[in-house]
Coordinates of all heavy atoms in Angstrom, one line a residue:
F81 N -15.7 34.9 62.1 CA -16.8 34.5 63.0 C -17.6 35.8 63.3 O -17.2 36.9 63.4 CB -16.2 33.9 64.3 CG -15.6 32.6 64.0 CD1 -14.2 32.4 64.1 CD2 -16.4 31.5 63.8 CE1 -13.6 31.2 63.9 CE2 -15.8 30.3 63.6 CZ -14.4 30.1 63.6
L82 N -18.9 35.5 63.5 CA -19.9 36.6 63.7 C -20.0 36.8 65.3 O -20.2 35.8 66.0 CB -21.2 36.3 63.1 CG -21.2 36.0 61.6 CD1 -22.5 35.3 61.1 CD2 -20.9 37.2 60.8
P83 N -20.1 38.0 65.8 CA -20.2 38.2 67.2 C -21.6 37.7 67.7 O -22.6 37.9 67.0 CB -20.1 39.7 67.4 CG -20.4 40.3 66.0 CD -19.9 39.3 65.0
P84 N -21.6 37.0 68.8 CA -22.9 36.5 69.4 C -23.7 37.6 70.0 O -23.2 38.7 70.3 CB -22.5 35.5 70.4 CG -21.1 36.0 70.9 CD -20.5 36.7 69.7
E155 N -19.7 28.1 71.4 CA -20.3 28.0 70.1 C -20.0 29.2 69.3 O -20.2 30.3 69.7 CB -21.8 27.8 70.2 CG -22.6 27.7 68.9 CD -24.1 27.6 69.1 OE1 -24.5 26.9 69.9 OE2 -24.8 28.4 68.3
S156 N -19.5 29.0 68.1 CA -19.2 30.1 67.2 C -19.9 29.9 65.8 O -20.2 28.7 65.5 CB -17.7 30.3 67.0 OG -17.1 29.1 66.4
R157 N -20.2 31.0 65.2 CA -20.9 30.9 63.9 C -20.3 31.8 62.8 O -19.9 32.9 63.1 CB -22.4 31.3 64.1 CG -23.1 30.4 65.1 CD -24.6 30.6 65.0 NE -25.3 29.5 65.8 CZ -26.6 29.2 65.7 NH1 -27.3 29.8 64.8 NH2 -27.1 28.3 66.5
W182 N -27.6 34.0 64.3 CA -27.7 33.5 65.6 C -29.2 33.1 65.9 O -29.5 32.6 67.0 CB -27.2 34.4 66.6 CG -25.7 34.5 66.7 CD1 -24.9 35.3 66.0 CD2 -24.8 33.5 67.4 NE1 -23.5 35.0 66.2 CE2 -23.5 33.9 67.1 CE3 -25.0 32.4 68.2 CZ2 -22.4 33.3 67.6 CZ3 -23.9 31.8 68.7 CH2 -22.6 32.2 68.4
G348 N -13.1 36.8 79.1 CA -12.7 38.0 78.3 C -12.4 37.6 76.8 O -12.8 38.4 75.9
K349 N -11.8 36.5 76.6 CA -11.3 36.1 75.3 C -12.5 35.5 74.4 O -12.7 35.9 73.3 CB -10.2 35.1 75.4 CG -9.7 34.5 74.1 CD -8.5 33.6 74.3 CE -8.0 33.0 73.0 NZ -6.9 32.0 73.3
Y350 N -13.2 34.6 75.0 CA -14.1 33.8 74.1 C -15.5 34.5 74.0 O -16.3 34.2 73.1 CB -14.3 32.4 74.7 CG -13.0 31.6 74.7 CD1 -12.4 31.2 75.9 CD2 -12.3 31.4 73.5 CE1 -11.2 30.5 75.8 CE2 -11.1 30.7 73.4 CZ -10.6 30.3 74.6 OH -9.4 29.6 74.6
M351 N -15.9 35.4 74.9 CA -17.1 36.1 74.8 C -17.1 37.1 73.6 O -18.2 37.6 73.2 CB -17.5 36.8 76.1 CG -17.9 35.8 77.2 SD -18.3 36.6 78.7 CE -19.9 37.4 78.3
Q352 N -16.0 37.4 73.1 CA -15.9 38.4 72.0 C -16.3 37.8 70.7 O -17.0 38.5 69.8 CB -14.4 38.9 71.9 CG -13.9 39.6 73.1 CD -14.7 40.8 73.5 OE1 -15.1 41.6 72.7 NE2 -15.0 40.9 74.8
T353 N -16.0 36.5 70.4 CA -16.3 36.0 69.1 C -17.2 34.7 69.1 O -17.5 34.1 68.1 CB -14.9 35.5 68.4 OG1 -14.2 34.6 69.3 CG2 -14.1 36.8 68.2
S354 N -17.6 34.3 70.3 CA -18.4 33.1 70.4 C -19.3 33.2 71.6 O -19.3 34.2 72.4 CB -17.5 31.9 70.6 OG -16.6 32.0 71.7
R355 N -20.2 32.2 71.8 CA -21.1 32.2 72.9 C -20.7 31.1 73.8 O -20.5 29.9 73.4 CB -22.5 31.9 72.4 CG -23.6 31.6 73.5 CD -24.9 31.2 72.9 NE -25.6 32.3 72.3 CZ -26.7 32.1 71.5 NH1 -27.1 30.9 71.2 NH2 -27.3 33.2 71.1

Side-chain angles (χ1 to χ4, degrees):
F81 292 108
L82 304 167
E155 176 184 317
S156 57
R157 300 194 172 200
W182 285 95
K349 178 180 179 180
Y350 298 117
M351 290 180 67
Q352 301 299 318
T353 57
S354 57
R355 173 187 283 168

